[in-house]
Amino acid sequence: MENWVYPTEETPFLAGETNLNEFLNRPLRMNGGAILLCKNGTARVTIDLIEFDIQPETEIILLTDSVLMLLETDRDFLATFFSFTSQLLNEACHRLDAPFFRYLKEHPTHKHSKETYKLINNLFDLIISTYEDHKNRFRSVIAKNYLQIYMLNVYNKAEQYFIGPRNDGYSRQEELFHQYIELVMKNFMKQRDVAFYANEMCISKGYLATIVHNVIGATPKVVLDKYIIQEIKVLLTSTDLSVQQIADYLHFPDQSYLGRYFKHHTSQSPIQYRSKWKNKFRR
């Protein structure tokens, strides 16, 4: 398994380089969090199903439960990474408030200037050096301090966008769209009826459809289905759960129903999809 995204209690942070190729068209759910800094090349990724273009000097911040997938990349793409457990993130950022983390969820990428990239890259060098210093019994504490420094710097730069009234150009419909996405992320495993979400938002299904279409040109059902399919893919490729167990976990009536649903959206059965990835990693 891709160790850089799975720090543990014994090794609460990891650092190094990655080209993300192992996640091409394969969604990855973060157990903890990670910061990536693009050094070379370009890539296109989805983060929580939203597409982003990644260029040199672009920073990516992934929080717990964020889902990353690589759509395409060139042969030169390379990023440095700093991944960490949820506990380390919480300890480093316990004084930072909820609006900041909502902002990071909505804006997970940032293109640095030449000057700020140089500073951030220098910090990454220190983080990687600390990770490689396995004999240093304080390296986890040092890493936590580096993470705190990093996030405080981001907080300082972004504070104007999430403190006080929203001033980043969001319309009322965009606010409602993000409310819909937050509800979907919290409830999609049990609730697959768009009417549930419209009721939770105290609006009609028709108005919800208008909002989603105006913001992203899709329907609420398409958005909901994407989250469900993404979760099935994550479970098929990152766990040993049987298809029946996945169906139970996601509250499908039975394995056959889940299989038909998955094949309708992907043109593959769950077993075919899982086998494809197992065969890939055997090579």
Side-chain angles (χ1 to χ4, degrees):
M1 196 54 70
E2 299 71 35
N3 290 333
W4 74 265
V5 296
Y6 296 115
T8 63
E9 286 187 18
E10 294 74 23
T11 309
F13 80 103
L14 302 164
E17 295 183 340
T18 179
N19 59 16
L20 296 181
N21 279 347
E22 63 269 40
F23 303 117
L24 182 62
N25 296 318
R26 177 187 180 217
L28 155 77
R29 181 182 302 285
M30 300 301 302
N31 290 337
I35 303 168
L36 296 96
L37 189 64
C38 178
K39 299 180 69 175
N40 300 305
T42 61
R44 189 163 183 79
V45 304
T46 64
I47 302 171
D48 295 331
L49 293 175
I50 307 298
E51 294 188 10
F52 297 91
D53 289 314
I54 308 301
Q55 302 172 347
E57 299 159 4
T58 299
E59 168 190 85
I60 304 172
I61 298 180
L62 302 169
L63 301 179
T64 304
D65 289 331
S66 292
V67 178
L68 169 72
M69 185 169 71
L70 178 66
L71 298 179
E72 59 181 325
T73 183
D74 63 28
R75 67 176 64 186
D76 297 322
F77 178 75
L78 187 67
T80 50
F81 69 85
F82 174 29
S83 60
F84 33 83
T85 61
S86 295
Q87 181 177 346
L88 196 70
L89 177 64
N90 292 337
E91 290 176 358
C93 302
H94 69 280
R95 295 181 180 178
L96 303 182
D97 42 29
F100 172 60
F101 293 101
R102 176 183 173 180
Y103 175 83
L104 291 182
K105 274 284 190 180
E106 294 178 3
H107 304 84
T109 69
H110 173 70
K111 179 71 164 63
H112 283 281
S113 66
K114 295 287 186 182
E115 293 74 18
T116 59
Y117 171 79
K118 183 177 180 180
L119 294 173
I120 295 299
N121 194 49
N122 289 340
L123 182 55
F124 260 95
D125 287 341
L126 291 172
I127 293 168
I128 292 172
S129 295
T130 300
Y131 173 68
E132 292 175 346
D133 185 10
H134 296 282
K135 294 182 179 180
N136 187 338
R137 62 193 180 98
F138 298 111
R139 66 183 188 135
S140 292
V141 176
I142 295 169
K144 181 177 70 174
N145 289 335
Y146 282 145
L147 179 58
Q148 186 176 63
I149 291 168
Y150 201 107
M151 297 301 272
L152 286 173
N153 182 65
V154 174
Y155 188 101
N156 179 64
K157 297 294 191 297
E159 187 175 14
Q160 60 181 311
Y161 301 112
F162 60 85
I163 296 296
R166 296 292 290 259
N167 60 358
D168 53 6
Y170 272 28
S171 68
R172 174 60 178 163
Q173 287 198 352
E174 287 171 321
E175 286 281 3
L176 288 172
F177 171 75
H178 283 285
Q179 182 182 345
Y180 173 60
I181 295 299
E182 289 177 2
L183 284 170
V184 168
M185 292 176 69
K186 291 178 182 177
N187 298 283
F188 72 90
M189 290 195 295
K190 292 184 178 180
Q191 299 291 343
R192 288 187 280 276
D193 186 349
V194 172
F196 166 83
Y197 298 95
N199 289 336
E200 288 292 302
M201 296 172 67
C202 300
I203 60 177
S204 69
K205 284 177 62 176
Y207 186 45
L208 178 57
T210 298
I211 290 168
V212 177
H213 180 269
N214 287 347
V215 175
I216 63 169
T219 68
K221 186 65 166 64
V222 165
V223 172
L224 184 56
D225 285 336
K226 283 185 176 181
Y227 274 93
I228 297 167
I229 292 298
Q230 175 179 259
E231 185 66 19
I232 296 172
K233 287 180 175 180
V234 168
L235 294 171
L236 287 170
T237 58
S238 63
T239 75
D240 294 322
L241 293 175
S242 68
V243 177
Q244 180 61 60
Q245 288 172 320
I246 293 173
D248 293 340
Y249 178 69
L250 296 177
H251 297 87
F252 278 85
D254 52 48
Q255 174 179 335
S256 297
Y257 189 98
L258 181 145
R260 292 193 300 272
Y261 176 85
F262 188 81
K263 190 166 186 177
H264 173 73
H265 289 281
T266 68
S267 300
Q268 300 176 79
S269 71
I271 298 300
Q272 288 171 329
Y273 183 82
R274 172 173 272 170
S275 297
K276 169 186 172 183
W277 287 107
K278 284 186 176 180
N279 290 337
K280 176 179 177 180
F281 287 112
R282 286 196 190 105
R283 295 191 187 109

